[in-house]
Amino acid sequence: MGTTDMIISAAILGVAAWLLYRSVWKKKGHCQGCEGGCCDKK
């Protein structure tokens, strides 16, 4: 694995971790269009 591959892998993992944090922990699992948990998840 070269330096460029490691940088690209780190960037992808960073973006994935940020999206996971934003969608799961920050909003506590609510859908993206719903700030207060008002939508029905069926």
Side-chain angles (χ1 to χ4, degrees):
M1 225 176 169
T3 305
T4 306
D5 294 333
M6 294 175 94
I7 292 171
I8 292 171
S9 297
I12 290 172
L13 287 174
V15 169
W18 177 73
L19 286 173
L20 183 66
Y21 164 76
R22 201 180 114 209
S23 64
V24 175
W25 287 294
K26 188 175 177 185
K27 292 192 177 188
K28 296 175 180 56
H30 299 301
C31 60
Q32 294 183 10
C34 183
E35 292 295 323
C38 58
C39 59
D40 269 341
K41 287 185 183 180
K42 293 183 181 179

